[in-house]
Amino acid sequence: MNYSELAEAVKNGDNILAVSLAQDLLQSGATIEVIIENGLTDPLNELSSKCTTDDFSLFEIMMAGRAMMDVMELINKELLEENCISHKGKIILGTIKGDIHDLGKHIVNIIFTLSGFKVIDLGKDIEPKKFINAAQEHKTPFICISSLLTPTAIYAREIKDIAKKQNLNDIIVLAGGVGFEHASKEYLQVDYVAKNVFDGLEYILSIVEGKRDG
Ligand code: B12
């Protein structure tokens, strides 16, 4: 199956071609995991250097982001039609304070929703305290934080501290995104650091299904 054509269309910001290629891939039986990794995440990661060099093109990155989100919408629609949504619980999600990257967070939202969770998406650049407030308001232990910027680790570390001060000992913090993925859970003071969205989902599912303690 040809994922490189899809990746190229996303990189070029050609959303119409990207959606049509993704449709072909889905029809030929490609898995969502592989479409997301090879067709969507990889091309955006390839644009990486544009964020730090003189070659920086916000327009190019935003167009690629739009193509990616249009493909995600298609995947979302297909799965909703298949009626595979159940109800497994609520999850608080947000990009941590100091960071405005949110394309990856949107993917996490979609994958977790499709897997049966009600996702409360707080948005981006979110204060640690707000995650705790939302978890209390929605009566859920699950907080998922996303970051693509390594210096935001200082804010990730605050979440469990705030919870402890309020005697909220059941709060479970899952960290993900390239800003966190090389850090240890001890360093970030979280319960788990996900290698990718599906690894994070497995972790939450294993707790919900009683296979692992929080
Ligand atoms: C697109 C992009 C932007 C866009 C963001 C648009 C948007 N709405 O998100 C714009 C142009 C705005 C931008 C801005 C900046 N960016 Co930028 N950006 C990128 C780029 C090229 C791609 C990121 C992306 O969207 N990838 C695709 C998505 C789908 O992947 P993802 O986010 O990693 O998410 C996946 C997984 O990580 C995971 N995941 C993510 N979150 C979570 C959470 C949980 C709980 C779980 C389970 C999983 C999970 O699931 C997703 C699906 O697979 C990266 C390069 C890179 N290699 O990542 C740089 C990059 C992240 N940016 C970088 C930088 C430095 C910046 C700026 C500071 C630049 C500047 N000088 O102003 C600003 C940030 C300002 C701020 N305060 O936040 C650096 C970060 C360096 C670092 N380690 O700290 C990178 C790595 C580029 C580089 N090589 O230096 N950026």
Side-chain angles (χ1 to χ4, degrees):
M1 283 177 216
N2 199 346
Y3 299 101
S4 56
E5 272 182 52
L6 171 61
E8 205 51 33
V10 170
K11 219 163 52 178
N12 294 336
D14 188 340
N15 58 332
I16 292 169
L17 179 62
V19 168
S20 134
L21 289 168
Q23 207 144 25
D24 292 347
L25 283 169
L26 280 170
Q27 268 159 14
S28 57
T31 67
I32 292 169
E33 281 93 333
V34 183
I35 294 182
I36 289 176
E37 285 305 313
N38 300 356
L40 305 180
T41 308
D42 282 359
L44 272 155
N45 286 345
E46 270 182 48
L47 291 175
S48 177
S49 57
K50 302 258 166 127
C51 271
T52 42
T53 62
D54 292 343
D55 205 13
F56 181 79
S57 164
L58 182 58
F59 180 71
E60 205 177 321
I61 290 172
M62 296 317 272
M63 294 299 279
R66 185 187 66 169
M68 191 192 89
M69 289 312 296
D70 285 356
V71 173
M72 284 312 294
E73 209 174 292
L74 166 81
I75 291 175
N76 205 355
K77 240 187 257 160
E78 290 269 320
L79 288 176
L80 281 174
E81 273 165 22
E82 284 172 25
N83 255 341
C84 46
I85 309 277
S86 56
H87 294 286
K88 297 197 174 84
K90 288 184 185 175
I91 284 180
I92 309 298
L93 171 69
T95 304
I96 193 85
K97 182 175 175 181
D99 191 353
I100 59 160
H101 292 90
D102 64 357
L103 296 172
K105 175 179 67 62
H106 284 307
I107 293 189
V108 175
N109 187 339
I110 290 168
I111 299 297
F112 278 40
T113 302
L114 293 172
S115 305
F117 290 95
K118 178 161 176 44
V119 177
I120 292 104
D121 189 341
L122 304 180
K124 54 196 175 186
D125 193 17
I126 301 301
E127 292 276 352
K129 177 91 179 70
K130 282 200 177 159
F131 286 97
I132 298 291
N133 292 349
Q136 276 187 290
E137 187 192 332
H138 294 278
K139 299 186 174 50
T140 176
F142 297 118
I143 293 178
C144 292
I145 53 173
S146 172
S147 178
L148 271 71
L149 300 178
T150 36
T152 60
I154 49 165
Y155 301 116
R157 298 164 69 107
E158 286 180 22
I159 298 180
K160 287 282 253 194
D161 259 0
I162 297 170
K164 255 185 226 148
K165 280 183 191 139
Q166 297 185 19
N167 287 324
L168 300 169
N169 298 319
D170 62 341
I171 291 285
I172 295 165
V173 182
L174 166 66
V178 291
F180 289 150
E181 72 187 11
H182 299 298
S184 68
K185 64 177 190 175
E186 290 78 15
Y187 175 72
L188 292 174
Q189 291 176 22
V190 299
D191 294 280
Y192 191 71
V193 183
K195 291 180 210 57
N196 54 51
V197 58
F198 299 104
D199 179 44
L201 177 63
E202 279 287 302
Y203 174 75
I204 302 269
L205 282 174
S206 69
I207 296 172
V208 171
E209 289 161 4
K211 290 182 198 142
R212 182 179 349 208
D213 291 330

